[in-house]
Amino acid sequence: MKGLFKSKPKTPADLVRQTRDLLIIADRNPTNRDTKREDKMLELSKVIRELKSILYGNSESEPVSEACAQLTQEFFKENTLRLLIVCLPKLNLEARKDATQVVANLQRQQVQSRLIACDYLEANLDIMDILVLGYQNPEMALHYGTMLRECIRHQSIARYVLESEHVKKFFDYIQLPNFDIAADAAATFKELLTRHKSTVAEFLSKNYDWFFAEYNSKLLESANYITRRQAIKLLGDMLLDRSNSAVMMRYVSSRDNLRILMNLLRESSKSIQIEAFHVFKLFAANQNKPADIVSILVANRSKLLRLFADFKTDKEDEQFEADKAQVVKEIASLEPKEQP
């Protein structure tokens, strides 16, 4: 007889509604009388895993697009995303990992050709504040960092983070003593400054002075080798991007920037030297060098030419050798300019 009364399987929308109800319970402060709370938290972990299984598929089946669309639509009807993010610290480690994957996947799910996660985040931008500040919580930093990187795939959301005061926090997050968290913050910072070309170009132009003052002093001149190495690589990625050509011309017209780059060229680390060269060559290639840039290059000409004579990459690299030959030619032929 039991078989006749089997409950029908829950739809994706049912599972999202169940998740929301359980998250509301999880969000409440527990009381001594709340004896069923642990059962509810275990149930919540199980339901989040089911959501993940619908979005990613499992060992037996691929995800079904119709089910994913239903799940996504229900998820963003109400505040399920906000609840899941706010309640993340209350979940166990496995549930946190599953929840992080669910939030990440939802950023890519289209419903009737729209990324409705983007629409939801645009109407709830304070969620981004929660995610950025998550780097200050060692237990949550990697989960919130992963979610944050997926959310800034949306250009409008990346613009919000760049234009907020939060962007300044990354200069400190990148140097946190916990290596994994610092590396995660560096990955997010790189994504913010390279993914959306037009937004990045506008941000760097508007915020040039304070941004590069911080970038130079806190990152390029950091005492930490890994911070310097990541920063010089990212600087090259930014300045060599055509979208940032106006910013690049401004950067290579500064004697302070040149001084920092020349110091990085003298590093004992080969990888920092090579990355510094890719930025230094922009100073050398500038056909409208200011007089003070020319005078610094002329004053250091013999040292620079000696350095480049022994300057090699570990593997043969024709482009690098061609760039180096061009830089040597430029420096060798410089004539001092009259200072204005």
Side-chain angles (χ1 to χ4, degrees), residues 89-196:
K90 299 181 180 182
L91 304 180
N92 64 40
L93 180 60
E94 285 310 308
R96 286 177 192 171
K97 288 179 183 173
D98 289 341
T100 301
Q101 288 185 276
V102 166
V103 171
N105 187 292
L106 286 168
Q107 305 313 310
R108 304 169 189 231
Q109 290 291 342
Q110 296 197 4
V111 176
Q112 295 172 340
S113 304
R114 280 192 68 79
L115 288 165
I116 63 171
C118 182
D119 298 338
Y120 177 85
L121 289 171
E122 284 176 0
N124 295 273
L125 287 166
D126 63 300
I127 287 176
M128 303 312 297
D129 305 342
I130 297 169
L131 295 181
V132 175
L133 294 172
Y135 278 117
Q136 295 171 15
N137 179 341
E139 282 189 16
M140 305 312 301
L142 299 182
H143 304 299
Y144 281 153
T146 300
M147 291 182 185
L148 179 56
R149 275 192 301 285
E150 290 298 325
C151 291
I152 60 176
R153 293 170 66 86
H154 311 302
Q155 189 158 3
S156 58
I157 306 306
R159 184 183 296 112
Y160 169 77
V161 177
L162 281 171
E163 290 176 354
S164 73
E165 285 297 302
H166 293 315
V167 76
K168 294 179 180 176
K169 295 183 172 71
F170 280 93
F171 292 102
D172 298 319
Y173 291 162
I174 287 168
Q175 300 187 80
L176 286 167
N178 181 309
F179 175 80
D180 291 333
I181 296 173
D184 194 277
T188 304
F189 193 56
K190 179 181 179 182
E191 189 77 358
L192 276 170
L193 291 167
T194 54
R195 175 176 275 277
H196 304 289

Side-chain angles (χ1 to χ4, degrees), residues 287-305:
Q287 295 306 302
N288 297 303
K289 297 179 188 70
D292 56 352
I293 297 284
V294 173
S295 62
I296 291 170
L297 291 173
V298 168
N300 291 276
R301 177 167 20 215
S302 57
K303 286 181 192 168
L304 286 165
L305 295 178

Side-chain angles (χ1 to χ4, degrees), residues 233-272:
K233 171 80 170 74
L234 177 55
L235 180 66
D237 291 344
M238 288 191 288
L239 297 184
L240 287 160
D241 193 305
R242 284 183 185 163
S243 308
N244 299 327
S245 56
V247 169
M248 182 268 283
M249 289 306 295
R250 195 168 166 188
Y251 193 89
V252 301
S253 298
S254 158
R255 60 183 296 161
D256 288 338
N257 295 343
L258 177 58
R259 176 184 58 77
I260 291 167
L261 263 296
M262 287 170 65
N263 284 336
L264 290 168
L265 279 173
R266 292 164 50 203
E267 286 256 0
S268 57
S269 156
K270 189 53 139 323
S271 58
I272 288 182

Side-chain angles (χ1 to χ4, degrees), residues 182-229:
D184 194 277
T188 304
F189 193 56
K190 179 181 179 182
E191 189 77 358
L192 276 170
L193 291 167
T194 54
R195 175 176 275 277
H196 304 289
K197 310 290 188 192
S198 59
T199 297
V200 172
E202 185 185 345
F203 166 76
L204 291 175
S205 297
K206 278 187 189 169
N207 298 277
Y208 180 93
D209 290 329
W210 76 259
F211 179 84
F212 283 107
E214 291 277 288
Y215 200 97
N216 288 350
S217 64
K218 287 193 172 174
L219 304 185
L220 291 179
E221 296 185 301
S222 166
N224 184 305
Y225 158 73
I226 291 168
T227 302
R228 292 197 307 279
R229 191 182 73 190

